[in-house]
Amino acid sequence: MSDRFVGLLRRHRIRRRLTQEALAERAGISTRSVGAIERGAGRAPRPQTIEQLATALALTGDERADFVSAGHALFWASRRDEGSARDVLAEVPPRPAPAQGDMPPRQLPADLPDFVGRADEVAELCSALSCLDTGAVRLASVSGPPGVGKTALAVHAAHRLAPHFPDGQLYASLRGTSDDPGEVLGQLLYTLGYVGTGLPTGLDARAALFRASLAGRRVLLVLDDAAGHRQIEPLIPSDGSAVLLTSRLPLTGIPGITTIDLGPLDAATAVELMSRVVGAQRIHAHLAAARQLVAICGGLPLAVRIAAARLAARPCWTVETFTDRLADKRRRLDELRHGDLALRPGLELAYGALSPVARRAFALLGALEVPSFPEWFPAALLGTTPARGAAALDELIDARLLETLGPDPAGRPRFRLHDVTRLFARERREAEIDQGEWADGLSRLGLTFLALDRLACHRRAGGLLGGAELASRVTPAPPPSAAAAPIDWYEAERETVAVLARTCLAAGLTALARELASSRAKAHEGMLSAG
């Protein structure tokens, strides 16, 4: 194996202070494979593995290009050196379809034996994908934030649908990246029997061959963890087949697709999942604590499953014992980990794909810990223009790091972070944003609230002078429409301003905290008198 590639891999790994085990976990490959590559043993890594390693090592620019180039050179050199065995493989003719009597591909991962709930969603997916009378390809997608159980639902539904697709079920993990789908097509075509010279090299040629191979056949294709529309388009087969997708992003831009946006489990279903993993008797003996535990997990199936797995592995623990361990929010993400099950990797993947501005907005919003917030919050916290604040907000929504709520009493949309996501956001704030920048953001936000409070107060009194004067001194200027309906605005922001006042006090902004608390009290008195 090439000394150059081996040397680059080892050097970058050591520079990042990663063990072979840590690098393997980040790259999604086995520790044994990383060790074999560094020893120069075994076969050269495939191009997809090389890309995964480059991403896991956080290589960019010329460093990444050099690393990938060395890996690809090693891969093709090893293929040339394989001699007669490779020549024989290259002579195998392409197979446009399995011959009569061949075993159709059955690639679905195992269904979860303790899968619970989601009955309506399973029924909708089965209804959307099982009817192929029109001949057109049928498509459905499951979207949602990290840890909400998208893959588990898709695999469960796919097993229910399998009898409708006698020509096989194909599965591919896209790993939530924007990688070239040509590698995935190569794997799918290999499963269908194309090897050697029968496997084209170009993306368009592979996509065309894939469509031709499935034409007239009833095949179910499951594409897990897609990054977006452009990655998926070459993978959509021809008529007669069906595609089931999972993605953080709702894939509503694909024509004719049925979309399901997945939310957390309700409390009863989450407790049932915990009972199936831990044992019904143990959970039902401590039902109140179990309900508290699933509430701490926010109903996220992955979090509930991790908590249940830890309880099952510790028979000496009561449910109350583990709930107490989760009381410290600073340690909660570390506690919610069992073996290779963890919440943090999915959040890190989503966070790592954000722009720098969106990362700062996420960290600041999470550290604020308000129950919900209006759309102008990011611009005020960042000290940027409303347009850039709105762009950061959209980016966080697309990454599923923010949830969109319905309109508040004033008729304006509101947003929030899931409790588990908020824990990760606060970690990012403490790690990446210093106390001075945090205090500056809070100060801008508090002054904006006071300006809007003044606007609302003067609107109620029939004048705008005082509010407009204060608003002109705030950067960025608050949207006047936010306080267009004063009583509704006070009602919508009552709890938010209380949290903001406490947060300002904790950050040392005593005078601002006092003004915010005073404005809240006056607003309450005004609403009582108005009533």
Side-chain angles (χ1 to χ4, degrees), residues 12-13 35 102 175 179 255 261 275 296 324 342 389 447 484 488 502:
H12 289 309
R13 178 178 65 78
D102 281 1
R175 299 183 183 276
D179 289 347
D261 197 57
S275 298
I296 288 174
D324 290 342
L447 288 173
D488 291 334
R502 292 195 297 269

Side-chain angles (χ1 to χ4, degrees), residues 115-126 153 156 160 269:
F115 185 89
V116 297
R118 310 295 198 195
D120 291 342
E121 291 87 350
V122 171
E124 185 174 356
L125 290 174
C126 290
L153 172 61
H156 182 74
R160 293 275 297 272
T269 306

Side-chain angles (χ1 to χ4, degrees), residues 86 89-95 189-199:
R86 174 58 60 188
L89 184 59
E91 292 173 5
V92 176
R95 285 170 36 187
L189 287 167
Y190 181 83
T191 300
L192 294 173
Y194 293 93
V195 292
T197 56
L199 185 62

Side-chain angles (χ1 to χ4, degrees), residues 133-391:
D133 294 340
T134 61
V137 63
R138 304 296 293 267
L139 302 108
S141 73
V142 179
S143 58
V148 81
K150 301 181 291 293
T151 299
L153 172 61
V155 170
H156 182 74
H159 279 278
R160 293 275 297 272
L161 285 160
H164 296 275
F165 298 91
D167 294 318
Q169 302 91 47
L170 299 170
Y171 175 87
S173 174
L174 306 181
R175 299 183 183 276
T177 68
S178 56
D179 289 347
D180 185 347
E183 186 73 22
V184 176
L185 280 168
Q187 295 170 7
L188 293 171
L189 287 167
Y190 181 83
T191 300
L192 294 173
Y194 293 93
V195 292
T197 56
L199 185 62
T201 57
L203 173 61
D204 291 342
R206 287 186 174 186
L209 180 59
F210 183 62
R211 290 192 296 269
S213 298
L214 298 189
R217 302 167 64 189
R218 295 172 70 91
V219 171
L220 174 63
L221 172 62
V222 179
L223 298 174
D224 188 26
D225 203 11
H229 304 79
R230 190 171 297 178
Q231 184 187 35
I232 293 163
E233 286 173 357
L235 304 173
I236 295 178
S238 55
D239 56 349
S241 293
V243 183
L244 176 53
L245 305 151
T246 72
S247 175
R248 289 194 302 272
L249 181 72
L251 299 171
T252 52
I254 299 177
I257 194 168
T258 297
T259 58
I260 294 176
D261 197 57
L262 214 53
L265 298 173
D266 61 68
T269 306
V271 170
E272 174 63 19
L273 172 58
M274 188 167 289
S275 298
R276 294 195 182 191
V277 177
V278 180
Q281 183 176 0
R282 188 175 169 194
I283 293 300
H284 291 165
H286 303 272
L287 198 53
R291 288 174 179 148
Q292 183 182 357
L293 182 52
V294 299
I296 288 174
C297 294
L300 283 180
L302 178 57
V304 174
R305 185 173 292 280
I306 292 170
R310 293 207 64 188
L311 281 170
R314 298 287 191 277
C316 59
W317 285 0
T318 64
V319 181
E320 289 88 350
T321 299
F322 189 51
T323 303
D324 290 342
R325 290 175 69 101
L326 295 178
D328 184 354
K329 292 183 178 180
R330 294 180 182 276
R331 297 185 60 239
R332 191 173 292 171
L333 283 178
D334 293 325
E335 291 286 350
L336 289 173
R337 181 183 182 112
H338 183 73
D340 58 357
L341 290 177
L343 290 165
R344 191 178 273 110
L347 295 168
E348 288 176 340
L349 183 65
Y351 180 75
L354 297 174
S355 68
V357 173
R359 289 185 191 183
R360 286 178 58 224
F362 174 70
L364 291 168
L365 288 166
L368 190 58
E369 295 197 358
V370 293
S372 66
F373 58 88
E375 57 193 338
W376 54 267
F377 253 50
L381 278 170
L382 295 168
T384 189
T385 63
R388 291 191 73 188

Side-chain angles (χ1 to χ4, degrees), residues 493-516:
E493 303 297 355
R494 180 170 51 181
E495 191 174 356
T496 302
V497 73
V499 174
L500 179 58
R502 292 195 297 269
T503 307
C504 287
L505 184 62
L509 302 173
T510 308
L512 182 57
R514 189 180 299 115
E515 285 191 72
L516 288 166

